[in-house]
C-alpha cells in the first residue's frame, strides 16, 4: 500500500539523515541501523519478554505498524489472558479480552 511505502521512505530517511543517525562511517553499522528502522515501521514495536523460542510471553505492550496498541498478556506468541486493544484514534479500549467471559473478545462500553 502507498501508506506503507511512505512510512518506509521515512524510515530510510530517519536512518540515513535523521537526528539519531549513528555517528560512524562504518557501512555495516549504518546498514544495520537502517534495517532496524525499517523493521519497526513494518512490524511495530514490542516491549516485553520473549520465551526460549523468541515468542512473545507474559505481560507486555505492542504498538503495531498501523498505530493500534495492545496491552496485556501473551503466551506462545499470541495474545492470551486479560488485555486491551486500542485502535488508532480511540483513547479507550475498543476490545477487552477476558478469559473468563463467555465471548473472549467483547466490545468496550466506553466507546466515543
Amino acid at each position: 500500500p502507498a501508506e506503507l511505502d511512505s512510512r518506509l521512505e521515512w524510515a530510510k530517511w530517519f536512518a540515513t539523515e535523521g537526528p539519531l543517525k549513528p555517528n560512524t562511517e562504518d557501512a555495516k553499522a549504518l546498514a544495520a541501523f537502517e534495517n532496524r528502522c525499517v523493521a519497526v515501521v513494518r512490524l511495530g514495536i514490542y516491549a516485553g519478554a520473549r520465551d526460549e523460542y523468541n515468542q512473545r510471553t507474559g505481560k507486555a505492550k505492542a504498538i503495531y505498524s498501523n498505530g493500534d496498541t495492545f496491552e496485556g498478556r501473551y503466551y506462545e506468541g499470541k495474545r492470551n489472558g486479560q488485555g486491551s486493544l486500542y485502535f488508532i484514534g480511540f483513547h479507550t479500549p475498543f476490545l477487552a479480552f477476558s478469559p473468563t467471559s463467555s465471548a473472549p473478545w467483547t466490545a468496550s462500553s466506553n466507546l466515543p
Side-chain angles (χ1 to χ4, degrees):
E3 183 180 316
L4 179 60
D5 291 341
S6 65
R7 289 186 298 190
L8 291 174
E9 287 176 26
W10 177 87
K12 289 181 181 188
W13 168 85
F14 184 84
T16 58
E17 302 173 34
L20 298 178
K21 174 186 170 196
N23 188 16
T24 181
E25 297 299 319
D26 180 7
K28 192 173 182 178
L30 292 172
F33 182 71
E34 180 177 342
N35 288 339
R36 284 193 301 275
C37 291
V38 168
V40 166
V41 168
R42 284 193 174 156
L43 303 174
I45 299 170
Y46 171 74
R50 292 191 179 262
D51 64 17
E52 63 270 19
Y53 303 105
N54 203 28
Q55 297 177 0
R56 296 173 180 191
T57 190
K59 188 173 180 183
K61 181 175 183 176
I63 303 172
Y64 300 104
S65 61
N66 67 355
D68 294 347
T69 303
F70 175 74
E71 294 181 51
R73 297 201 166 274
Y74 285 87
Y75 179 71
E76 293 183 350
K78 297 180 182 134
R79 294 186 297 251
N80 183 284
Q82 286 191 307
S84 297
L85 180 60
Y86 299 83
F87 288 108
I88 192 160
F90 292 96
H91 299 290
T92 56
F94 182 69
L95 293 175
F97 181 77
S98 174
T100 58
S101 68
S102 58
W105 285 99
T106 55
S108 175
S109 60
N110 52 3
L111 290 174

